[in-house]
Amino acid sequence: MKKQGSLYTVIYIIIIVVLVGTALAATSMALKDRQNENIAADKMKQILASVHIVPEPGQKVSEVFNKYITAQTVVNSQGEETGTDAFSVNVQEQSKIADGAKRQLPVYICTLPVAGTKYIIPVYGAGLWGPIWGYVAVDADGSTIYGAYFAHQGETPGLGAEIEKPFFQNQFENKHLFKDGKFLPVAVVKKGQKPLDGEDYVDGISGGTITSRGVSTMLHDCLLPYQAYLEKLKH
């Protein structure tokens, strides 16, 4: 076969593609477990952040997580337990189910040495440029917010991306989900304004109106199905 011939060139390219493809596939498979571990560790860090716990450098995240997250549960909209593996529930997929009564609702139960038991609820929604998500930690009374953590995929730096900053997240502390016997998830409103229904509220991000509305909608849509479960905690 002539090396200058077109057939040789085609065969050569095919062999190179196969070799490179095989090498990439092998590398991907070899790194898959490590990638999954990193994804899980990042999720654990976010859950812990909602209760103000940040693993120290050198600490294994899973050990810190297992120390403070003492139980997990999955409930339905009637507040009934349907499972115990909250970590495996895909909140993104569940949030797409329009009927909240059909969703799987994960809860992480955290035990803090001084502050007591907290119930951490994941939330997922849409910002201006992509998905936003987070975790809301509620006191044992089922109403008072102990802490909140929010993140995003691609919101505008200095504007909507500010939802990941402590100054925004800390506003949620000590806000209430139940007001005058009504379940009213915390609203995010323009600074200087108040919601009409009397619910607790926080100031939105200046210049990040759409992202702020996204957080408000996310909290309403994701927390509302937990009403029955949170009511049970009150008794």
Side-chain angles (χ1 to χ4, degrees):
M1 184 184 301
K2 294 182 179 180
K3 291 187 177 181
Q4 292 78 15
S6 59
L7 180 59
Y8 174 85
T9 302
V10 171
I11 293 175
Y12 179 80
I13 292 174
I14 291 174
I15 292 174
I16 293 299
V17 169
V18 170
L19 290 176
V20 172
T22 301
L24 290 174
T27 302
S28 177
M29 291 180 65
L31 295 176
K32 186 175 182 179
D33 289 344
R34 178 68 63 84
Q35 291 171 341
N36 289 338
E37 288 177 5
N38 290 339
I39 291 171
D42 185 57
K43 181 177 178 178
M44 291 177 185
K45 285 181 181 179
Q46 295 183 25
I47 293 170
L48 291 171
S50 70
V51 287
H52 315 298
I53 295 175
V54 179
E56 297 290 338
Q59 279 188 305
K60 194 170 183 179
V61 177
S62 60
E63 292 180 356
V64 179
F65 182 84
N66 291 330
K67 176 181 178 180
Y68 292 103
I69 304 301
T70 51
Q72 299 181 31
T73 186
V74 181
V75 301
N76 58 24
S77 61
Q78 286 74 49
E80 303 164 335
E81 185 177 45
T82 60
T84 57
D85 187 6
F87 203 81
S88 295
V89 175
N90 188 323
V91 177
Q92 178 181 0
E93 293 299 322
Q94 293 300 313
S95 68
K96 295 177 182 177
I97 300 175
D99 186 353
K102 296 180 179 180
R103 294 182 191 173
Q104 297 181 60
L105 307 173
V107 182
Y108 301 91
I109 302 172
C110 175
T111 303
L112 300 175
V114 177
T117 303
K118 311 300 173 188
Y119 298 84
I120 304 172
I121 298 172
V123 293
Y124 191 94
L128 174 60
W129 300 113
I132 56 177
W133 63 90
Y135 297 89
V136 177
V138 182
D139 281 344
D141 63 3
S143 178
T144 308
I145 294 179
Y146 178 74
Y149 171 86
F150 302 110
H152 65 93
Q153 179 173 292
E155 298 307 286
T156 307
L159 298 175
E162 298 293 280
I163 64 171
E164 66 182 2
K165 298 295 181 64
F167 82 87
F168 176 73
Q169 298 173 5
N170 291 344
Q171 292 184 89
F172 289 84
E173 294 177 19
N174 297 316
K175 301 298 183 183
H176 293 85
L177 299 177
F178 287 91
K179 296 295 293 281
D180 299 324
K182 297 179 180 179
F183 186 71
L184 298 170
V186 178
V188 182
V189 299
K190 186 176 181 179
K191 189 173 182 178
Q193 296 182 350
K194 295 182 179 181
L196 298 176
D197 294 333
E199 65 262 46
D200 277 353
Y201 64 94
V202 301
D203 292 335
I205 301 296
S206 179
T209 302
I210 295 178
T211 307
S212 298
R213 288 175 182 169
V215 174
S216 192
T217 299
M218 173 176 71
L219 292 174
H220 180 274
D221 291 348
C222 292
L223 293 180
L224 193 59
Y226 286 90
Q227 179 177 352
Y229 177 77
L230 294 172
E231 284 180 335
K232 289 182 177 181
L233 297 180
K234 296 167 60 178
H235 303 292

